[in-house]
């Protein structure tokens, strides 16, 4: 087997497959979890399942199956704009388990629902879809969608971090309680991987628009891009596994000791 092919294709594909199975499996267990805040558990379970389905879409695309079987392009679609919203709400309800969701919280789902409806509409009515190419409004990986991804992800991580800082100030303690410590690590790691993806996306934008080099056609770039999301998903899954492993001690209701 060619070593370059192994590193650029088979290794990323194997990591993608492993991460999506782990995310969906652990995400499903969160719906069975009874310790901690139940709504926060379900939100995180939904986050991991949505992340796993998104990874399945990326894996089908990365492997080239969508080119040979175009019907797989929408089975499943990806939920990139859902993930930061679900992460934010999970952190908020974990910190404030007595918070009651209000109708005003629906504003957080405007972009995720718009993304979902957009994909459903071009799936049901193919004529809505523009020709393939790197258009700003392309249905898959267009400039507008990537811009929203790069804005929404860090914004919601910052929003969640502000709630964490506020909760820490309310507790008036020098050392972080276990729950806050883990949530802070979760947010910091997520931000780091989002920054890595942003660097790749901006590199592609600059090279394509100013140097007329399409990095998306380069196998190494596709591998790096898939790896950036894979590492993020593995980070979210690892946190979920830790919560399941000692969740009663970590995330039980009111766990601020």
């Amino acid at each position: 087997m060619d070593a370059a092919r192994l590193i650029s294709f088979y290794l990323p594909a194997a990591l993608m497959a492993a991460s999506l199975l782990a995310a969906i499996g652990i995400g499903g267990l969160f719906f069975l979890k009874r310790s901690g805040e139940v709504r926060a558990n379900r939100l995180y379970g939904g986050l991991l399942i949505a992340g796993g389905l998104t990874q399945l879409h990326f894996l089908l695309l990365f492997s080239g199956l969508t080119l040979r079987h175009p019907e797989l392009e929408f089975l499943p679609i990806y939920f990139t704009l859902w993930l930061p919203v679900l992460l934010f709400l999970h952190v908020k309800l974990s910190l404030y388990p007595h918070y009651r969701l209000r109708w005003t919280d629906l504003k957080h789902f405007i972009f995720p629902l718009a993304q979902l409806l957009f994909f459903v509409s071009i799936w049901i009515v193919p004529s809505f879809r523009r020709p393939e190419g790197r258009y700003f409004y392309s249905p898959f990986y267009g400039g507008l969608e990537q811009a929203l991804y790069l804005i929404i992800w860090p914004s919601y991580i910052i929003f969640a971090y502000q709630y964490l800082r506020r909760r820490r100030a309310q507790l008036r303690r020098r050392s972080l309680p276990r729950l806050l410590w883990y949530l802070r690590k979760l947010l910091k790691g997520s931000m780091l991987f989002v920054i890595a993806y942003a660097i790749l996306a901006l590199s592609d934008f600059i090279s394509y628009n100013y140097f007329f080099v399409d990095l998306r056609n380069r196998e190494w770039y596709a591998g790096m891009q898939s790896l950036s999301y894979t590492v993020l998903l593995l980070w979210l899954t690892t946190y979920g596994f830790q919560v399941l492993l000692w969740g009663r001690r970590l995330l039980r209701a009111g766990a601020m000791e």
Side-chain angles (χ1 to χ4, degrees):
M1 183 183 297
D2 185 7
R5 182 68 171 169
L6 174 64
I7 295 174
S8 63
F9 179 77
Y10 290 105
L11 181 58
L15 289 174
M16 293 170 76
S19 65
L20 79 88
L21 291 174
I24 292 176
I26 293 177
L29 292 176
F30 264 87
F31 286 89
L32 304 176
K33 188 176 183 299
R34 292 295 174 260
S35 59
E37 217 292 324
V38 175
R39 296 173 300 166
N41 292 340
R42 292 173 179 173
L43 284 166
Y44 202 78
L47 164 67
L48 290 181
I49 292 174
L53 293 175
T54 300
Q55 183 71 300
L56 177 57
H57 172 88
F58 291 155
L59 179 58
L60 294 175
L61 182 71
F62 182 75
S63 64
L65 283 175
T66 54
L67 294 176
R68 298 190 293 272
H69 304 281
E71 66 276 7
L72 295 178
E73 198 168 26
F74 293 90
L75 298 172
I77 60 173
Y78 53 89
F79 303 91
T80 50
L81 300 186
W82 287 85
L83 306 183
V85 173
L86 294 174
L87 178 64
F88 164 74
L89 292 175
H90 164 75
V91 171
K92 183 176 181 179
L93 291 178
S94 296
L95 295 171
Y96 297 94
H98 300 297
Y99 177 78
R100 290 183 176 273
L101 293 172
R102 306 163 186 168
W103 69 268
T104 53
D105 291 310
L106 293 175
K107 64 179 179 290
H108 298 295
F109 294 96
I110 292 176
F111 286 116
L113 285 173
Q115 182 188 43
L116 176 62
L117 292 175
F118 180 66
F119 281 128
V120 171
S121 66
I122 62 176
W123 179 42
I124 296 176
V125 186
S127 60
F128 288 169
R129 183 168 181 173
R130 295 194 62 174
E132 294 294 339
R134 297 187 58 154
Y135 301 107
F136 186 66
Y137 297 103
S138 293
F140 290 101
Y141 318 107
L144 176 61
E145 185 180 52
Q146 286 210 333
L148 288 174
Y149 181 90
L150 295 176
I151 292 172
I152 291 176
W153 253 111
S155 297
Y156 272 98
I157 291 176
I158 292 172
F159 295 158
Y161 196 76
Q162 292 302 316
Y163 274 102
L164 190 149
R165 291 185 61 185
R166 183 189 305 174
R167 187 64 174 134
R168 181 182 185 182
Q170 292 171 348
L171 294 174
R172 297 180 180 179
R173 292 182 51 180
R174 290 186 178 180
S175 60
L176 280 177
R178 185 180 295 272
L179 171 60
L180 271 65
W181 188 86
Y182 271 92
L183 289 175
R184 186 179 68 173
K185 293 296 182 184
L186 171 66
L187 295 174
K188 284 187 174 181
S190 299
M191 179 65 86
L192 178 64
F193 300 129
V194 169
I195 290 174
Y197 178 85
I199 292 173
L200 287 171
L202 291 174
S203 299
D204 173 56
F205 175 81
I206 293 172
S207 66
Y208 183 79
N209 288 278
Y210 296 99
F211 298 100
F212 310 105
V213 176
D214 190 352
L215 292 181
R216 297 184 190 179
N217 292 330
R218 306 297 175 88
E219 198 170 62
W220 66 267
Y221 179 83
M224 289 292 294
Q225 194 172 43
S226 66
L227 187 61
S228 67
Y229 177 78
T230 299
V231 174
L232 172 62
L233 185 59
L234 287 173
W235 174 258
L236 297 172
T237 304
T238 300
Y239 171 83
F241 176 76
Q242 291 177 326
V243 169
L244 291 176
L245 192 63
W246 48 74
R248 290 185 180 277
R249 184 174 60 182
L250 176 63
L251 289 179
R252 64 177 180 268
M256 295 294 172
E257 69 275 12

